[in-house]
């Protein structure tokens, strides 16, 4: 297990998570200006909503590290380990958001879940470009989203942790984690 | 490698549509409110290009850098120089940025149709330099970071560096990034070259440090010295250039006037507005004579959109779409001090500004409705009351209240209605 944790960069994931939590606590409410379609529409995105992208990237990098062919034939349940690492880290971020009540803490935890879920889904298509998907989604939400308007899709820039904004991130993470396990749960065909 | 395969395998193929869409999105909000000069269009294009291409090219650089690292460039036997290897990977990304920038220029060209002049090549060159620097930074990061981390890190990190300084109260930082806030300059202003030089210095040093970081070999102390020294050099050179600058990187324009004579008075407008010179002169010269008579001052020998001393030369503005009343109002209020004196609390001189503006504009010949819209009904009422007096009394009232605007020890007189 220790070797697996080392190969999958568990220490780096912990450090990234701690640094992100520190950044959210220290400067999470700092607004970064973003361009909008009209000059009158001045808007900014809190740093707390953007910072989880880096922590999510480190987490996904850790989860997808390791020799794919070696792990495919491993005796140990490495897929469960990987799913556990991602789920545990996301759960930890939620616990931190609940315990450490800082502005945008819950929204930051939601974004970590959502970014990780999007990356997990994108990894089904291409593993080495998985984190480009949440990054592109974040930029699109920053440019086109309307925080506070109640849209279901622009959750990355929604400062409020309203339950409705959790639907897509939670669904992405659930699907992203479940999808690799589905083929193993299917009944196997025996070759003749 | 065949050219088509080489281009197709580059991250630029994905980067080009993304950064083009981003660039046009950033530009679309501002292109309709451009000033009537090419500098404002150039700055808008360069700013949008840097904001769009900087992060995207940085991320693409991180991807390509990781590809080169995965390909074993570091350890393999060299058949070509490291600079050549880097250039072949860098080129498609820069071409993508250049294509997007040219598209932005074409859009700006449509908006600036009929305005004389050309894009400022120096502003565009510095923007390209900034994009190159961030792309190289991406390559340097990609040498050690897996694309899973490098791509989002460069995308978000570069975007933060470009966008966040605009929200800072410390103004000098924003002049180093190359973002330029998307705006500069009104037609009576030009870009402050100090900001441009500072951005170029920062970009060159970043590019140099990034190249050294990417190309260094094991144990190369000189490379490490460069990597550590170049950022320090950038700050040492760039910081003094922008330290004293305000929120915007513009300074008053002093050249580029087109002049003509009308009724013995020289009339000058910015060369972009040369077509309106005759019309403007027909409005401004008689108004200047009326103002000179009304205020008891000698008539100016020159009315100009450029620098003026307020005695021999008076200043006005005739931007496109300005109505005659706007030109008259600008000429009239040009006789008032541009800034209030530095007085302690309790200074009441500012109360004179509205009535004096209204009186000067009415004296110049502006319509009452236009004056009321700009100064308010109370100022207009006070001005009309003064206009009912003999000319000598009006001159005394004007000079006294002008003193109240310039000095701390003079109070305004008769600037409110009884």
């Amino acid at each position: 297990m220790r070797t697996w944790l080392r190969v999958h960069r568990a220490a780096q994931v912990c450090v990234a998570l701690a640094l992100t939590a520190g950044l959210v606590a220290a400067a999470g409410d700092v607004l970064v200006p973003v361009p909008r379609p009209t000059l009158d529409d001045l808007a900014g995105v809190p740093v707390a909503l953007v910072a989880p992208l880096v922590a999510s990237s480190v987490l996904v990098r850790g989860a997808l590290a390791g020799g794919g062919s070696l792990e495919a034939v491993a005796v140990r349940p490495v897929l469960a380990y990987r799913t556990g690492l991602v789920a545990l880290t996301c759960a930890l971020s939620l616990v931190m958001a609940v315990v450490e009540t800082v502005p945008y803490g819950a929204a930051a935890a939601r974004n970590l879940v959502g970014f990780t879920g999007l990356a997990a889904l994108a990894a089904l298509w291409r593993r080495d470009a998985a984190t480009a998907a949440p990054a592109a989604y974040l930029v699109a939400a920053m440019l086109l989203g309307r925080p506070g308007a109640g849209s279901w899709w622009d959750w990355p820039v929604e400062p409020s942790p309203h339950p409705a904004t959790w639907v897509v991130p939670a669904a992405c993470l659930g699907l992203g984690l479940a999808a690799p396990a589905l083929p193993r749960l299917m009944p196997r065909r025996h070759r003749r | 490698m065949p050219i088509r395969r080489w281009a197709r395998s580059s991250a630029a193929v994905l980067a080009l549509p993304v950064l083009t869409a981003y660039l046009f999105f950033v530009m679309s909000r501002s292109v309709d409110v451009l000033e009537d000069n090419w500098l404002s269009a150039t700055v808008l294009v360069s700013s949008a290009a840097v904001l769009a291409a900087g992060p995207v090219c940085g991320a693409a650089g991180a991807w390509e850098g990781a590809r080169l690292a995965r390909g074993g460039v570091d350890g393999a036997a060299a058949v070509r120089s490291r600079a050549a290897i880097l250039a072949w990977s860098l080129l498609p990304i820069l071409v993508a940025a250049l294509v997007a920038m040219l598209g932005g220029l074409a859009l700006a060209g449509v908006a600036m149709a009929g305005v004389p002049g050309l894009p400022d090549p120096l502003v565009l060159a510095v923007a390209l330099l900034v994009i190159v620097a961030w792309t190289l930074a991406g390559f340097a990061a990609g040498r050690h970071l897996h694309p899973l981390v490098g791509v989002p890190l460069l995308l978000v990190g570069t975007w933060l560096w470009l966008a966040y300084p605009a929200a800072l109260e410390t103004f000098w930082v924003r002049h180093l990034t190359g973002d330029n806030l998307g705006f500069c300059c009104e037609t009576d202003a030009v870009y402050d070259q100090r900001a441009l030089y500072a951005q170029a210095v920062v970009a060159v040093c970043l590019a140099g440090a990034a190249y050294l970081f990417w190309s260094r070999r094991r144990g190369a102390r000189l490379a490490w010295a460069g990597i550590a020294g170049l950022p320090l050099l950038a700050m040492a050179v760039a910081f003094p250039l922008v330290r004293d600058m305000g929120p915007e990187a513009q300074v008053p324009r002093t050249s580029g006037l087109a002049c003509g004579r009308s009724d013995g008075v020289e009339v000058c407008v910015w060369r972009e507005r040369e077509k309106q010179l005759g019309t403007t002169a027909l409005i401004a010269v008689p108004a200047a004579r009326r103002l000179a008579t009304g205020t008891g001052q000698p008539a100016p020998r020159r009315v100009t959109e450029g620098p003026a001393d307020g005695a021999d030369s008076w200043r006005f503005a005739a931007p496109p779409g300005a109505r005659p009343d706007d030109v008259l109002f600008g000429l009239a209020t040009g006789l008032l001090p541009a800034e209030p004196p530095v007085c302690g609390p309790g200074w009441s001189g500012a109360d004179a500004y509205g009535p004096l503006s209204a009186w000067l504009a009415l004296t110049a010949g502006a319509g009452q409705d236009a004056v009321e819209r700009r100064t308010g009904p109370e100022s207009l009422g006070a001005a009309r009351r003064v206009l009912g007096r003999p000319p000598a009394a009006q001159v005394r009232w004007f000079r006294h209240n002008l003193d109240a605007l310039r000095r701390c020890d003079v109070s305004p007189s008769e600037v409110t209605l009884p």
Side-chain angles (χ1 to χ4, degrees):
Chain A
M1 185 69 187
R2 270 189 298 180
T3 306
W4 188 91
L5 286 174
R6 195 168 61 243
V7 168
H8 287 266
R9 300 158 188 265
Q12 288 180 19
V13 171
C14 290
V15 170
L17 195 65
L19 285 177
T20 305
L23 183 64
V24 169
D29 53 351
V30 172
L31 291 177
V32 184
V34 290
R36 291 287 189 196
T38 58
L39 281 176
D40 302 335
D41 189 4
L42 297 173
V45 173
V47 165
L49 303 188
V50 181
L53 181 67
V54 177
S56 158
S57 303
V58 176
L59 170 61
V60 173
R61 165 70 180 132
L64 298 180
S69 52
L70 281 177
E71 291 194 351
V73 294
V75 175
R76 297 195 178 183
V78 285
L79 183 60
Y81 288 178
R82 194 166 74 199
T83 308
L85 174 70
V86 174
L88 196 67
T89 310
C90 290
L92 195 61
S93 74
L94 295 178
V95 170
M96 285 165 75
V98 171
V99 173
E100 190 186 3
T101 50
V102 294
Y104 307 116
R110 176 202 62 209
N111 281 9
L112 179 76
V113 170
F115 294 147
T116 309
L118 277 174
L121 283 176
L124 298 174
W125 167 64
R126 185 160 175 171
R127 288 169 67 132
D128 57 352
T131 52
Y137 193 84
L138 172 65
V139 172
M142 282 195 297
L143 295 178
L144 305 172
R146 287 283 172 277
S151 306
W152 59 269
W153 64 271
D154 61 356
W155 51 266
V157 290
E158 178 55 60
S160 141
H162 190 270
T165 63
W166 284 84
V167 174
V168 176
C172 286
L173 185 66
L175 280 175
L177 292 183
L182 284 179
R184 301 195 177 203
L185 299 176
M186 299 276 190
R188 293 183 181 178
R189 287 182 185 173
H190 297 285
R191 287 184 181 177
R192 292 179 181 175
Chain B
M1 185 186 281
I3 293 288
R4 281 182 64 187
R5 195 185 301 165
W6 160 73
R8 205 172 53 222
S9 65
S10 170
V13 176
L14 273 176
L16 178 60
V18 172
L19 69 89
T20 305
Y22 194 178
L23 183 139
F24 280 92
F25 182 87
V26 173
M27 277 189 70
S28 62
R29 64 185 186 140
S30 307
V31 80
D32 294 333
V33 291
L34 278 174
E35 294 288 320
D36 60 328
N37 67 81
W38 265 98
L39 183 59
S40 67
T42 314
V43 171
L44 174 64
V45 172
S46 72
S47 174
V50 165
L51 196 59
V56 175
C57 289
W63 176 269
E64 290 294 323
R67 269 182 78 198
L68 290 176
R70 221 169 36 237
V73 167
D74 292 334
V79 290
R80 57 176 75 93
S81 72
R82 294 178 78 76
I85 294 169
L86 181 66
W88 279 107
S89 288
L90 183 69
L91 205 57
I93 301 173
L94 296 186
V95 168
L98 195 63
V99 166
M101 188 186 269
L102 289 175
L105 272 176
L107 184 64
V110 172
M112 301 301 289
V115 175
L118 286 169
D120 189 330
L122 195 60
V123 173
L124 294 176
V126 171
L128 275 176
L129 202 57
V130 172
I131 294 169
V132 170
W134 281 108
T135 312
L136 283 173
F139 273 89
R143 179 175 171 178
H144 294 287
L145 287 177
H146 192 278
L148 282 172
V149 178
V151 169
L153 190 67
L154 261 291
L155 191 72
V156 171
T158 310
W159 172 73
L160 279 176
W161 164 249
L162 293 172
Y164 180 56
L168 285 175
E169 291 288 326
T170 315
F171 295 131
W172 61 266
V173 186
R174 65 177 65 177
H175 300 306
L176 298 178
T177 62
D179 173 48
N180 292 326
L181 310 177
F183 177 76
C184 181
C185 301
E186 290 164 14
T187 307
D188 61 356
V190 289
Y191 197 89
D192 194 334
Q193 298 288 312
R194 290 176 300 169
L196 218 50
Y197 296 145
Q199 289 164 17
V201 167
V202 170
V204 166
C205 289
L206 175 64
Y211 176 73
L212 287 175
F213 193 80
W214 181 81
S215 64
R216 77 185 197 287
R217 293 188 186 282
R218 198 179 291 271
R221 288 183 185 172
L222 203 61
W224 278 114
I227 292 163
L230 280 171
L232 297 177
L233 178 70
M235 284 311 293
V237 177
F239 175 65
L241 286 171
V242 295
R243 181 177 47 199
D244 301 325
M245 287 177 62
E248 290 173 355
Q250 55 182 22
V251 288
R253 182 178 177 182
T254 54
S255 62
L257 288 165
C259 299
R261 292 199 78 80
S262 171
D263 202 12
V265 178
E266 186 181 31
V267 183
C268 296
V269 294
W270 298 119
R271 65 165 179 264
E272 290 88 349
R273 300 168 183 167
E274 193 172 2
K275 285 180 187 169
Q276 285 85 42
L277 179 60
T279 321
T280 307
L282 287 177
I283 299 167
V285 172
R289 291 197 189 287
R290 284 193 293 270
L291 275 172
T293 308
T295 57
Q297 300 182 58
R301 284 190 288 187
R302 189 184 207 209
V303 286
T304 175
E305 287 196 293
D309 60 9
D312 268 359
S313 53
W314 291 3
R315 191 164 190 190
F316 75 106
R323 289 170 297 190
D325 282 338
D326 299 327
V327 177
L328 294 176
F329 199 87
L331 181 71
T333 52
L335 296 177
L336 300 177
E339 290 180 8
V342 182
C343 301
W347 180 67
S348 57
D351 297 343
Y353 194 87
L356 269 183
S357 301
W359 180 81
L360 284 166
L362 290 173
T363 304
Q368 293 203 10
D369 290 345
V371 175
E372 186 176 6
R373 267 199 310 277
R374 286 171 172 264
T375 62
E378 287 198 4
S379 296
L380 177 67
R384 287 181 60 185
R385 194 182 58 185
V386 176
L387 279 171
R389 295 179 186 171
Q394 290 186 44
V395 171
R396 276 200 303 278
W397 177 85
F398 167 69
R399 287 184 178 161
H400 176 85
N401 286 305
L402 191 61
D403 280 345
L405 278 179
R406 287 176 175 155
R407 291 162 47 179
C408 301
D409 57 344
V410 178
S411 298
S413 163
E414 301 177 74
V415 291
T416 52
L417 290 171

